[in-house]
Amino acid sequence: IRFNLMSPDDMAAILEHPLVRDGPGTSEAIRNVVQRGFSNIKLRAGMDRQEMALLFSTITKEMLCMNPRTGKYIQCPVIGDLDLNTDDIIATTVTSNNDIYLLTRKSGHPHDGQLSLVMYSHVRNVWEKQSSVCRVAGDGIPNEEYLVEAGGHLYYLAFFNLQISNTYVRIRRYDQHTDQWPECSRPQFKEGTADVGKAVSCGQHLYIFTESEMYRYDPCKDQWCIIATPNNYPNYIEMVVATTTEIFCESYKLGEMYLYDTLSDSWKKLPDWNLSGSYNNFVIDYCMYFVLEGRLHMFTAYTTFVPWVGLDSPISYAWQVCVLDRSKGTWTDLKAPLPSGRWLFPPNVLSVARMYLPCLTANGTDVQRTADL
């Protein structure tokens, strides 16, 4: 038994097992080994990990990993092949293998057709470039861009709405063996579709939501199919986020939430979200949903200002993190004490990954612990 690779809980379970506890001499011998080496045990990467949402600061050039439930807020410098001075984050995703990917573009060059794919190294705490993907000439600037995983592959989706009622999407899959991005089949939106679609991966499939239709992609067959929409299908979906079997959708009305269950192919209205607290003079800058530890959260950034002066003289920037209690049908403010600064996240999604705390704290700052000290 390699005790130096075990967690304390696993070790305690072995010591209390009847074969060890009741064996003459065995228990004493094992306990002696454990006692000699327990204080110097070094946990493997992955043994001490925690689900955390990821935010970025272009001012301090840091990444913030947060888990409001446990009170963990760790700031890490962004180093490697990601430079927040010169790179704009276009899209992000976390794969089923817990790999964190970003698509970036050089700042100030919206017409630049070349994007970089960078991946986060959990052990080294650095960003490493993996590939480049070029937009198709003549497509113009996409209205929406996504990076998602399905069936073990990365997909880049670019939505275009060049004219009124003329929306289309271009989809490319990353082939790691050839470092190429070949095109995939794409859904044919019905004529008159004016809304730019929203994309999300759920289980082994990709989903696209438009103003009146749903589409599902099968990576194995490279085929799209239309999913019938019910009467309570939300109009003009603004944002989507998914678990392994459920997709949360926000309509064009801020805080109006719906749930689509992919297993039962059914829709359900969720409790509306409202900014809680006494914020009489404020404007919401942006809000984003994310699923952390299986529960739906909402991150909201807003600016307070002097009423008689208006937005020209903001007083401060603030945040609110709420979690949905589906059993009670209520949203709860977690009173998350985020570190000072303007924390941002890539468009369309706030990524959640299982972060390795020993590596994070070795290179970053545990904000909550520092504040307590």
Side-chain angles (χ1 to χ4, degrees):
I1 300 174
R2 302 177 66 184
F3 289 101
N4 64 317
L5 299 182
M6 296 178 61
S7 68
D9 290 341
D10 292 337
M11 195 176 300
I14 286 183
L15 292 176
E16 295 302 320
H17 193 280
L19 290 177
V20 174
R21 186 181 63 243
D22 300 335
T26 303
S27 178
E28 182 179 358
I30 291 180
R31 289 181 185 276
N32 289 338
V33 173
V34 171
Q35 290 175 358
R36 287 199 304 269
F38 186 80
S39 60
N40 296 322
I41 287 177
K42 295 182 180 180
L43 299 179
R44 288 180 298 174
M47 292 179 64
D48 188 7
R49 61 185 180 182
Q50 191 173 119
E51 274 197 7
M52 309 185 87
L54 311 179
L55 297 91
F56 297 86
S57 172
T58 57
I59 298 176
T60 62
K61 310 301 181 286
E62 290 178 310
M63 177 176 68
L64 173 65
C65 305
M66 70 169 185
N67 185 317
R69 183 187 64 81
T70 61
K72 277 287 184 182
Y73 302 89
I74 302 177
Q75 294 174 238
C76 296
V78 173
I79 56 178
D81 297 327
L82 176 63
D83 187 346
L84 295 180
N85 285 313
T86 60
D87 297 328
D88 289 335
I89 301 175
I90 305 302
T92 178
T93 192
V94 178
T95 69
S96 55
N97 291 329
N98 202 41
D99 293 325
I100 307 171
Y101 288 96
L102 299 178
L103 271 182
T104 66
R105 180 186 60 216
K106 291 303 178 183
S107 303
H109 297 82
H111 295 277
D112 189 353
Q114 178 147 327
L115 305 176
S116 296
L117 178 71
V118 295
M119 185 181 74
Y120 178 73
S121 170
H122 289 274
V123 176
R124 298 177 57 210
N125 196 25
V126 299
W127 293 89
E128 301 171 341
K129 184 175 180 179
Q130 303 294 307
S131 179
S132 296
V133 54
C134 296
R135 297 191 182 121
V136 176
D139 275 346
I141 301 177
N143 297 81
E144 298 274 1
E145 294 173 277
Y146 293 85
L147 181 68
V148 296
E149 182 217 21
H153 295 279
L154 289 176
Y155 291 84
Y156 166 61
L157 295 85
F159 289 87
F160 301 87
N161 192 348
L162 303 180
Q163 299 176 355
I164 297 177
S165 301
N166 182 20
T167 298
Y168 73 95
V169 59
R170 193 176 294 279
I171 304 172
R172 306 172 72 175
R173 187 181 76 177
Y174 178 46
D175 188 330
Q176 294 184 344
H177 300 291
T178 63
D179 193 27
Q180 299 295 316
W181 294 79
E183 287 203 47
C184 303
S185 64
R186 51 190 180 183
Q188 298 299 317
F189 300 138
K190 75 175 184 179
E191 186 176 354
T193 299
D195 179 40
V196 175
K198 306 299 178 182
V200 69
S201 62
C202 185
Q204 296 296 313
H205 297 89
L206 301 182
Y207 291 82
I208 290 180
F209 299 82
T210 67
E211 59 197 47
S212 60
E213 291 184 314
M214 292 173 54
Y215 301 83
R216 183 177 62 213
Y217 176 72
D218 187 337
C220 297
K221 300 179 181 179
D222 189 27
Q223 292 180 352
W224 288 89
C225 66
I226 299 179
I227 302 177
T229 54
N231 294 330
N232 62 339
Y233 179 76
N235 292 326
Y236 298 101
I237 293 176
E238 291 293 330
M239 196 174 302
V240 291
V241 63
T243 64
T244 54
T245 61
E246 297 177 324
I247 302 176
F248 299 94
C249 305
E250 182 192 43
S251 74
Y252 70 96
K253 295 181 181 179
L254 180 65
E256 185 176 83
M257 296 296 300
Y258 293 83
L259 170 66
Y260 173 66
D261 190 317
T262 62
L263 298 180
S264 62
D265 188 25
S266 61
W267 285 87
K268 178 183 177 181
K269 178 71 170 62
L270 295 176
D272 293 343
W273 167 88
N274 292 298
L275 186 65
S276 61
S278 300
Y279 306 108
N280 297 322
N281 304 302
F282 71 93
V283 60
I284 293 178
D285 297 323
Y286 47 83
C287 57
M288 188 67 63
Y289 294 94
F290 61 99
V291 176
L292 181 68
E293 298 176 335
R295 304 182 68 184
L296 180 64
H297 293 67
M298 186 177 191
F299 177 92
T300 306
Y302 57 93
T303 304
T304 60
F305 58 92
V306 180
W308 56 87
V309 178
L311 298 178
D312 292 334
S313 60
I315 297 177
S316 63
Y317 303 102
W319 307 267
Q320 186 181 60
V321 180
C322 297
V323 61
L324 174 63
D325 187 332
R326 292 168 62 177
S327 63
K328 298 180 180 179
T330 58
W331 289 87
T332 302
D333 185 356
L334 295 178
K335 309 294 183 182
L338 268 69
S340 60
R342 298 206 69 182
W343 296 100
L344 307 174
F345 38 78
N348 301 317
V349 66
L350 197 160
S351 292
V352 173
R354 300 184 301 277
M355 306 302 291
Y356 302 133
L357 299 184
C359 297
L360 281 181
T361 54
N363 298 282
T365 302
D366 191 332
V367 180
Q368 191 62 32
R369 180 175 297 176
T370 301
D372 294 339
L373 294 176

Coordinates of all heavy atoms in Angstrom, one line a residue, residues 187-264:
P187 N -26.6 23.2 -39.4 CA -28.0 23.1 -39.6 C -28.5 24.2 -40.6 O -27.9 25.3 -40.7 CB -28.5 23.4 -38.2 CG -27.4 24.3 -37.6 CD -26.2 23.7 -38.1
Q188 N -29.6 23.9 -41.2 CA -30.2 24.8 -42.1 C -31.4 25.5 -41.4 O -32.4 25.0 -41.2 CB -30.7 24.1 -43.4 CG -29.6 23.4 -44.2 CD -28.6 24.4 -44.7 OE1 -28.9 25.5 -45.2 NE2 -27.3 24.0 -44.6
F189 N -31.1 26.8 -41.0 CA -32.1 27.5 -40.3 C -33.3 27.8 -41.2 O -33.1 28.0 -42.4 CB -31.6 28.8 -39.7 CG -30.4 28.6 -38.7 CD1 -29.3 29.4 -38.7 CD2 -30.5 27.6 -37.8 CE1 -28.3 29.2 -37.8 CE2 -29.5 27.4 -36.9 CZ -28.4 28.2 -36.9
K190 N -34.5 27.8 -40.7 CA -35.6 28.1 -41.5 C -35.6 29.5 -42.0 O -35.0 30.4 -41.4 CB -36.9 27.9 -40.7 CG -37.3 28.9 -39.7 CD -38.6 28.7 -39.1 CE -39.0 29.8 -38.1 NZ -40.4 29.5 -37.6
E191 N -36.2 29.8 -43.1 CA -36.1 31.1 -43.8 C -36.8 32.1 -42.8 O -37.9 31.9 -42.3 CB -36.9 31.0 -45.1 CG -36.8 32.3 -45.9 CD -37.4 32.2 -47.3 OE1 -37.8 31.1 -47.6 OE2 -37.5 33.2 -48.0
G192 N -36.2 33.2 -42.7 CA -36.7 34.3 -41.9 C -36.1 34.3 -40.5 O -36.5 35.1 -39.6
T193 N -35.2 33.4 -40.2 CA -34.5 33.4 -38.9 C -33.6 34.6 -38.7 O -32.6 34.8 -39.4 CB -33.7 32.1 -38.7 OG1 -34.6 31.0 -38.7 CG2 -33.0 32.2 -37.3
A194 N -34.0 35.5 -37.8 CA -33.2 36.8 -37.6 C -32.4 36.7 -36.4 O -31.4 37.5 -36.3 CB -34.2 38.0 -37.6
D195 N -32.7 35.8 -35.5 CA -32.0 35.8 -34.2 C -30.7 35.0 -34.4 O -30.6 33.9 -35.0 CB -32.9 35.1 -33.2 CG -32.2 34.9 -31.8 OD1 -31.5 35.9 -31.4 OD2 -32.3 33.9 -31.2
V196 N -29.6 35.5 -33.8 CA -28.3 34.8 -33.8 C -28.4 33.7 -32.8 O -28.8 33.9 -31.6 CB -27.2 35.8 -33.4 CG1 -25.9 35.0 -33.3 CG2 -27.0 36.9 -34.5
G197 N -28.1 32.5 -33.2 CA -28.3 31.3 -32.4 C -27.4 31.3 -31.2 O -26.3 31.9 -31.1
K198 N -27.8 30.5 -30.2 CA -27.0 30.2 -29.0 C -26.6 28.8 -29.0 O -27.4 27.9 -29.2 CB -27.8 30.6 -27.7 CG -28.3 32.0 -27.7 CD -27.2 33.0 -27.8 CE -27.8 34.5 -27.8 NZ -26.8 35.5 -27.9
A199 N -25.3 28.5 -28.6 CA -24.8 27.1 -28.7 C -24.4 26.6 -27.3 O -23.9 27.4 -26.5 CB -23.7 27.0 -29.7
V200 N -24.5 25.3 -27.1 CA -24.1 24.7 -25.9 C -23.9 23.2 -26.1 O -24.6 22.7 -26.9 CB -25.1 25.0 -24.7 CG1 -26.4 24.2 -24.9 CG2 -24.5 24.7 -23.4
S201 N -23.0 22.6 -25.3 CA -22.8 21.2 -25.4 C -23.5 20.6 -24.1 O -23.4 21.2 -23.0 CB -21.3 20.8 -25.5 OG -20.7 21.2 -24.3
C202 N -24.1 19.4 -24.3 CA -24.8 18.8 -23.2 C -24.7 17.3 -23.5 O -25.2 16.8 -24.5 CB -26.2 19.3 -23.1 SG -27.1 18.6 -21.7
G203 N -24.1 16.6 -22.6 CA -23.8 15.2 -22.8 C -22.9 15.0 -24.0 O -21.8 15.5 -24.0
Q204 N -23.3 14.2 -24.9 CA -22.5 13.9 -26.1 C -23.0 14.7 -27.3 O -22.5 14.4 -28.4 CB -22.5 12.4 -26.4 CG -21.9 11.5 -25.3 CD -20.4 11.8 -25.2 OE1 -19.7 11.8 -26.1 NE2 -20.0 11.9 -23.9
H205 N -23.8 15.7 -27.1 CA -24.4 16.4 -28.3 C -24.1 17.9 -28.2 O -23.9 18.4 -27.1 CB -25.9 16.1 -28.4 CG -26.2 14.7 -28.7 ND1 -26.4 13.8 -27.6 CD2 -26.4 14.0 -29.8 CE1 -26.7 12.6 -28.2 NE2 -26.7 12.7 -29.5
L206 N -24.2 18.5 -29.3 CA -24.3 20.0 -29.4 C -25.7 20.4 -29.6 O -26.5 19.8 -30.3 CB -23.4 20.5 -30.5 CG -21.9 20.2 -30.5 CD1 -21.2 20.9 -31.7 CD2 -21.3 20.6 -29.2
Y207 N -26.1 21.6 -29.0 CA -27.4 22.1 -29.2 C -27.3 23.6 -29.7 O -26.4 24.3 -29.2 CB -28.2 22.1 -27.9 CG -28.6 20.7 -27.5 CD1 -27.7 19.9 -26.8 CD2 -29.9 20.2 -27.7 CE1 -28.0 18.6 -26.4 CE2 -30.2 18.9 -27.3 CZ -29.3 18.1 -26.7 OH -29.6 16.8 -26.3
I208 N -28.2 24.0 -30.6 CA -28.3 25.3 -31.0 C -29.8 25.8 -30.8 O -30.7 25.1 -31.2 CB -27.9 25.5 -32.5 CG1 -26.4 25.3 -32.6 CG2 -28.3 26.9 -33.0 CD1 -25.9 25.5 -34.0
F209 N -29.9 26.9 -30.2 CA -31.2 27.5 -30.0 C -31.4 28.8 -30.8 O -30.5 29.7 -30.7 CB -31.4 27.8 -28.5 CG -31.3 26.6 -27.6 CD1 -30.1 26.1 -27.2 CD2 -32.5 26.0 -27.1 CE1 -30.0 25.0 -26.3 CE2 -32.4 24.9 -26.3 CZ -31.1 24.4 -25.9
T210 N -32.5 28.9 -31.6 CA -32.8 30.1 -32.2 C -34.1 30.7 -31.7 O -34.6 30.2 -30.6 CB -32.9 29.9 -33.8 OG1 -34.1 29.1 -34.0 CG2 -31.7 29.2 -34.3
E211 N -34.6 31.7 -32.3 CA -35.8 32.3 -31.7 C -37.0 31.4 -31.7 O -38.0 31.6 -30.9 CB -36.2 33.6 -32.6 CG -36.4 33.2 -34.0 CD -36.4 34.5 -34.9 OE1 -35.4 35.3 -34.8 OE2 -37.3 34.6 -35.7
S212 N -37.0 30.4 -32.6 CA -38.2 29.5 -32.6 C -37.9 28.0 -32.8 O -38.8 27.2 -32.9 CB -39.2 30.0 -33.8 OG -38.5 29.9 -35.0
E213 N -36.6 27.7 -32.9 CA -36.3 26.3 -33.2 C -35.1 25.8 -32.4 O -34.3 26.6 -31.9 CB -36.0 26.1 -34.7 CG -37.1 26.3 -35.6 CD -36.8 26.0 -37.0 OE1 -35.7 26.5 -37.5 OE2 -37.5 25.3 -37.7
M214 N -35.0 24.5 -32.2 CA -33.9 23.8 -31.5 C -33.3 22.8 -32.5 O -34.0 22.2 -33.2 CB -34.4 23.1 -30.3 CG -34.8 23.9 -29.1 SD -35.5 22.9 -27.8 CE -34.2 21.7 -27.5
Y215 N -31.9 22.7 -32.4 CA -31.2 21.8 -33.3 C -30.2 21.0 -32.4 O -29.6 21.6 -31.5 CB -30.4 22.6 -34.4 CG -31.3 23.4 -35.3 CD1 -31.7 24.7 -34.9 CD2 -31.7 22.9 -36.5 CE1 -32.5 25.5 -35.7 CE2 -32.5 23.7 -37.3 CZ -32.9 25.0 -36.9 OH -33.7 25.7 -37.8
R216 N -30.1 19.7 -32.7 CA -29.2 18.9 -32.0 C -28.2 18.2 -33.0 O -28.6 17.7 -34.1 CB -29.9 17.8 -31.2 CG -29.0 16.9 -30.4 CD -29.8 15.9 -29.6 NE -30.6 15.0 -30.5 CZ -31.8 14.5 -30.1 NH1 -32.3 14.8 -29.0 NH2 -32.4 13.7 -31.0
Y217 N -26.9 18.2 -32.6 CA -25.9 17.7 -33.5 C -25.3 16.4 -32.9 O -25.0 16.3 -31.7 CB -24.8 18.7 -33.6 CG -23.6 18.2 -34.4 CD1 -23.6 18.1 -35.8 CD2 -22.4 17.9 -33.8 CE1 -22.5 17.7 -36.5 CE2 -21.2 17.5 -34.5 CZ -21.3 17.4 -35.9 OH -20.2 17.0 -36.6
D218 N -25.2 15.3 -33.7 CA -24.6 14.1 -33.4 C -23.2 14.0 -33.9 O -23.0 13.9 -35.1 CB -25.4 12.9 -34.0 CG -25.0 11.6 -33.5 OD1 -23.8 11.5 -33.0 OD2 -25.7 10.6 -33.5
P219 N -22.2 14.1 -33.1 CA -20.8 14.1 -33.6 C -20.4 12.9 -34.3 O -19.6 12.9 -35.2 CB -20.0 14.3 -32.3 CG -20.9 14.9 -31.3 CD -22.2 14.3 -31.6
C220 N -20.9 11.7 -33.9 CA -20.6 10.5 -34.5 C -21.0 10.4 -36.0 O -20.4 9.8 -36.8 CB -21.2 9.3 -33.7 SG -20.5 9.2 -32.0
K221 N -22.2 11.0 -36.3 CA -22.8 10.9 -37.6 C -22.6 12.2 -38.4 O -22.8 12.3 -39.6 CB -24.3 10.6 -37.5 CG -24.6 9.3 -36.9 CD -26.1 9.1 -36.8 CE -26.4 7.8 -36.1 NZ -27.9 7.6 -36.0
D222 N -22.1 13.3 -37.7 CA -21.9 14.6 -38.3 C -23.3 15.0 -38.9 O -23.3 15.5 -40.1 CB -20.8 14.6 -39.4 CG -20.5 16.0 -39.9 OD1 -20.7 17.0 -39.1 OD2 -20.1 16.1 -41.1
Q223 N -24.3 14.9 -38.1 CA -25.7 15.2 -38.6 C -26.4 16.1 -37.6 O -26.2 16.0 -36.4 CB -26.5 14.0 -38.8 CG -26.0 13.1 -40.0 CD -26.8 11.9 -40.2 OE1 -27.7 11.5 -39.4 NE2 -26.6 11.2 -41.3
W224 N -27.3 17.0 -38.1 CA -28.1 17.8 -37.3 C -29.6 17.4 -37.5 O -30.0 16.9 -38.5 CB -28.0 19.3 -37.7 CG -26.7 19.9 -37.3 CD1 -25.5 19.9 -38.1 CD2 -26.4 20.6 -36.1 NE1 -24.6 20.6 -37.4 CE2 -25.1 21.0 -36.2 CE3 -27.2 20.9 -35.0 CZ2 -24.5 21.8 -35.1 CZ3 -26.6 21.6 -34.0 CH2 -25.3 22.0 -34.0
C225 N -30.3 17.5 -36.4 CA -31.8 17.3 -36.5 C -32.5 18.4 -35.8 O -32.0 19.0 -34.9 CB -32.1 15.9 -35.9 SG -31.8 15.8 -34.1
I226 N -33.7 18.6 -36.2 CA -34.6 19.6 -35.6 C -35.4 19.0 -34.4 O -35.9 17.9 -34.6 CB -35.5 20.3 -36.6 CG1 -34.7 21.0 -37.7 CG2 -36.4 21.3 -35.9 CD1 -35.6 21.6 -38.7
I227 N -35.4 19.6 -33.3 CA -36.2 19.1 -32.1 C -37.5 20.0 -32.1 O -37.4 21.2 -32.1 CB -35.4 19.2 -30.8 CG1 -34.1 18.4 -30.9 CG2 -36.2 18.7 -29.7 CD1 -33.2 18.5 -29.7
A228 N -38.6 19.3 -32.0 CA -39.9 20.0 -31.9 C -39.9 20.9 -30.7 O -39.5 20.4 -29.6 CB -41.0 19.0 -31.9
T229 N -40.4 22.1 -30.8 CA -40.5 23.0 -29.7 C -41.9 23.1 -29.2 O -42.8 23.2 -30.0 CB -39.9 24.4 -30.1 OG1 -40.6 24.9 -31.3 CG2 -38.5 24.4 -30.4
P230 N -42.1 23.2 -27.9 CA -43.5 23.3 -27.4 C -44.0 24.7 -27.4 O -43.3 25.6 -27.8 CB -43.3 22.8 -25.9 CG -41.9 23.2 -25.6 CD -41.1 23.0 -26.9
N231 N -45.2 24.9 -26.9 CA -45.8 26.2 -26.9 C -45.1 27.1 -25.9 O -45.1 28.3 -26.0 CB -47.3 26.1 -26.5 CG -48.1 25.5 -27.6 OD1 -47.7 25.5 -28.8 ND2 -49.1 24.8 -27.2
N232 N -44.5 26.5 -24.8 CA -43.8 27.4 -23.8 C -42.3 27.5 -24.1 O -41.6 27.9 -23.2 CB -44.0 26.7 -22.4 CG -43.4 25.4 -22.3 OD1 -43.1 24.7 -23.3 ND2 -43.1 24.9 -21.1
Y233 N -41.9 27.3 -25.3 CA -40.5 27.5 -25.7 C -40.2 29.0 -25.6 O -40.9 29.9 -26.1 CB -40.3 27.1 -27.2 CG -38.9 27.3 -27.7 CD1 -37.9 26.4 -27.3 CD2 -38.6 28.3 -28.6 CE1 -36.6 26.6 -27.8 CE2 -37.3 28.5 -29.1 CZ -36.3 27.6 -28.7 OH -35.1 27.8 -29.2
P234 N -39.2 29.4 -24.9 CA -38.8 30.8 -24.6 C -38.4 31.5 -25.9 O -37.7 31.0 -26.7 CB -37.7 30.8 -23.6 CG -37.1 29.4 -23.8 CD -38.2 28.5 -24.2
N235 N -38.9 32.7 -26.1 CA -38.6 33.5 -27.3 C -37.2 34.2 -27.0 O -37.0 34.8 -26.0 CB -39.7 34.5 -27.6 CG -40.9 33.9 -28.0 OD1 -40.9 32.8 -28.7 ND2 -42.1 34.4 -27.7
Y236 N -36.4 34.3 -28.1 CA -35.2 35.1 -28.1 C -34.3 34.7 -26.9 O -34.2 35.5 -25.9 CB -35.5 36.6 -28.1 CG -36.2 37.0 -29.4 CD1 -37.6 37.2 -29.3 CD2 -35.6 37.1 -30.6 CE1 -38.3 37.5 -30.5 CE2 -36.2 37.5 -31.7 CZ -37.6 37.7 -31.7 OH -38.3 38.0 -32.8
I237 N -33.8 33.5 -26.9 CA -32.9 33.1 -25.8 C -31.6 33.9 -25.8 O -31.0 34.0 -26.9 CB -32.6 31.6 -25.9 CG1 -33.9 30.8 -25.7 CG2 -31.6 31.1 -24.9 CD1 -33.8 29.3 -25.9
E238 N -31.3 34.4 -24.7 CA -30.1 35.3 -24.6 C -28.8 34.5 -24.1 O -27.7 34.9 -24.5 CB -30.3 36.5 -23.6 CG -31.3 37.5 -24.2 CD -30.8 38.2 -25.4 OE1 -29.6 38.4 -25.5 OE2 -31.6 38.6 -26.2
M239 N -29.0 33.5 -23.3 CA -27.9 32.8 -22.7 C -28.3 31.4 -22.4 O -29.4 31.1 -22.0 CB -27.5 33.5 -21.5 CG -26.1 33.2 -21.0 SD -25.6 34.3 -19.6 CE -25.7 35.9 -20.4
V240 N -27.3 30.4 -22.6 CA -27.5 29.0 -22.2 C -26.3 28.5 -21.5 O -25.2 28.9 -21.7 CB -27.8 28.2 -23.5 CG1 -29.1 28.5 -24.1 CG2 -26.7 28.4 -24.5
V241 N -26.6 27.6 -20.5 CA -25.6 26.9 -19.8 C -26.1 25.5 -19.4 O -27.3 25.4 -19.2 CB -25.2 27.7 -18.5 CG1 -26.3 27.8 -17.5 CG2 -23.9 27.1 -17.8
A242 N -25.2 24.5 -19.4 CA -25.7 23.2 -19.3 C -25.0 22.4 -18.2 O -23.8 22.7 -17.9 CB -25.6 22.5 -20.6
T243 N -25.7 21.3 -17.7 CA -25.1 20.3 -16.9 C -24.9 19.1 -17.9 O -24.9 19.3 -19.1 CB -26.0 19.9 -15.7 OG1 -27.2 19.4 -16.2 CG2 -26.2 21.1 -14.9
T244 N -24.8 17.9 -17.3 CA -24.7 16.7 -18.2 C -26.0 16.3 -18.9 O -26.0 15.7 -20.0 CB -24.2 15.5 -17.4 OG1 -25.0 15.3 -16.3 CG2 -22.7 15.8 -16.9
T245 N -27.1 16.7 -18.3 CA -28.4 16.3 -18.9 C -29.4 17.5 -19.0 O -30.4 17.3 -19.7 CB -29.1 15.2 -18.1 OG1 -29.3 15.7 -16.8 CG2 -28.2 14.0 -18.0
E246 N -29.1 18.6 -18.4 CA -30.1 19.7 -18.4 C -29.4 21.0 -19.0 O -28.2 21.2 -18.9 CB -30.5 20.0 -17.0 CG -31.3 18.9 -16.3 CD -31.7 19.2 -14.9 OE1 -30.9 19.8 -14.2 OE2 -32.8 18.8 -14.5
I247 N -30.3 21.8 -19.6 CA -29.8 23.1 -20.2 C -30.7 24.2 -19.6 O -31.9 24.2 -19.7 CB -30.0 23.0 -21.7 CG1 -29.1 21.9 -22.3 CG2 -29.5 24.4 -22.3 CD1 -29.3 21.7 -23.8
F248 N -30.0 25.2 -19.0 CA -30.7 26.3 -18.5 C -30.6 27.5 -19.5 O -29.6 27.7 -20.1 CB -30.0 26.8 -17.2 CG -30.0 25.8 -16.1 CD1 -29.0 24.9 -15.9 CD2 -31.1 25.7 -15.2 CE1 -29.0 24.0 -14.9 CE2 -31.1 24.8 -14.2 CZ -30.1 23.9 -14.0
C249 N -31.8 28.1 -19.7 CA -31.9 29.2 -20.8 C -32.5 30.4 -20.1 O -33.5 30.3 -19.4 CB -32.8 28.7 -21.9 SG -32.3 27.2 -22.7
E250 N -31.9 31.5 -20.5 CA -32.5 32.8 -20.1 C -33.1 33.5 -21.3 O -32.4 33.6 -22.4 CB -31.4 33.7 -19.5 CG -32.0 35.1 -19.0 CD -30.9 36.1 -18.7 OE1 -30.0 36.2 -19.5 OE2 -31.0 36.8 -17.7
S251 N -34.3 34.0 -21.2 CA -35.0 34.6 -22.3 C -34.4 36.1 -22.4 O -33.6 36.5 -21.7 CB -36.5 34.6 -22.1 OG -36.9 35.6 -21.1
Y252 N -35.0 36.8 -23.4 CA -34.6 38.2 -23.6 C -34.9 39.1 -22.3 O -34.4 40.2 -22.2 CB -35.2 38.8 -24.8 CG -36.7 39.0 -24.7 CD1 -37.2 40.3 -24.4 CD2 -37.6 38.0 -24.9 CE1 -38.6 40.5 -24.3 CE2 -39.0 38.2 -24.8 CZ -39.5 39.5 -24.5 OH -40.8 39.7 -24.4
K253 N -35.8 38.6 -21.5 CA -36.1 39.3 -20.3 C -35.1 38.9 -19.2 O -35.0 37.8 -18.9 CB -37.6 39.0 -19.8 CG -38.7 39.5 -20.7 CD -40.0 39.2 -20.1 CE -41.1 39.6 -21.0 NZ -42.5 39.3 -20.5
L254 N -34.4 39.9 -18.7 CA -33.3 39.6 -17.7 C -33.9 38.8 -16.5 O -34.8 39.3 -15.9 CB -32.7 40.9 -17.2 CG -31.5 40.8 -16.2 CD1 -30.4 40.0 -16.8 CD2 -31.1 42.1 -15.7
G255 N -33.3 37.7 -16.2 CA -33.7 36.9 -15.1 C -34.8 35.9 -15.3 O -35.2 35.2 -14.4
E256 N -35.4 35.9 -16.5 CA -36.5 34.9 -16.8 C -35.8 33.6 -17.3 O -35.3 33.6 -18.4 CB -37.4 35.5 -17.9 CG -38.6 34.6 -18.1 CD -39.6 35.2 -19.1 OE1 -39.3 35.1 -20.3 OE2 -40.6 35.9 -18.7
M257 N -36.0 32.6 -16.5 CA -35.2 31.4 -16.7 C -36.1 30.2 -17.1 O -37.2 30.1 -16.5 CB -34.4 31.0 -15.4 CG -33.3 32.0 -15.1 SD -32.1 32.1 -16.3 CE -31.5 30.4 -16.4
Y258 N -35.6 29.3 -17.9 CA -36.3 28.1 -18.3 C -35.3 26.9 -18.3 O -34.1 27.1 -18.4 CB -36.8 28.2 -19.8 CG -37.9 29.2 -19.9 CD1 -37.7 30.5 -20.1 CD2 -39.3 28.8 -19.9 CE1 -38.7 31.5 -20.3 CE2 -40.3 29.7 -20.1 CZ -40.0 31.0 -20.2 OH -41.0 32.0 -20.4
L259 N -35.8 25.7 -18.1 CA -35.0 24.5 -18.0 C -35.4 23.5 -19.1 O -36.6 23.2 -19.1 CB -35.1 23.9 -16.6 CG -34.5 22.5 -16.5 CD1 -32.9 22.6 -16.6 CD2 -34.8 21.9 -15.1
Y260 N -34.5 23.1 -19.9 CA -34.8 22.0 -20.8 C -34.1 20.7 -20.4 O -32.9 20.7 -20.2 CB -34.3 22.4 -22.2 CG -34.4 21.3 -23.2 CD1 -35.7 20.8 -23.6 CD2 -33.3 20.7 -23.8 CE1 -35.8 19.8 -24.5 CE2 -33.5 19.6 -24.7 CZ -34.7 19.2 -25.1 OH -34.8 18.2 -26.0
D261 N -34.9 19.7 -20.2 CA -34.4 18.4 -19.8 C -34.2 17.5 -21.1 O -35.1 17.2 -21.7 CB -35.3 17.7 -18.9 CG -34.8 16.4 -18.2 OD1 -34.1 15.6 -19.0 OD2 -35.0 16.2 -17.0
T262 N -32.9 17.2 -21.4 CA -32.6 16.5 -22.6 C -33.1 15.0 -22.6 O -33.3 14.4 -23.6 CB -31.1 16.5 -22.9 OG1 -30.4 15.9 -21.8 CG2 -30.6 18.0 -23.0
L263 N -33.2 14.5 -21.4 CA -33.6 13.1 -21.3 C -35.1 12.9 -21.5 O -35.5 12.0 -22.2 CB -33.2 12.5 -19.9 CG -31.7 12.5 -19.6 CD1 -31.5 11.9 -18.2 CD2 -31.0 11.7 -20.6
S264 N -35.9 13.8 -20.9 CA -37.3 13.7 -21.1 C -37.9 14.6 -22.2 O -39.1 14.6 -22.5 CB -38.0 14.1 -19.8 OG -37.7 15.5 -19.4

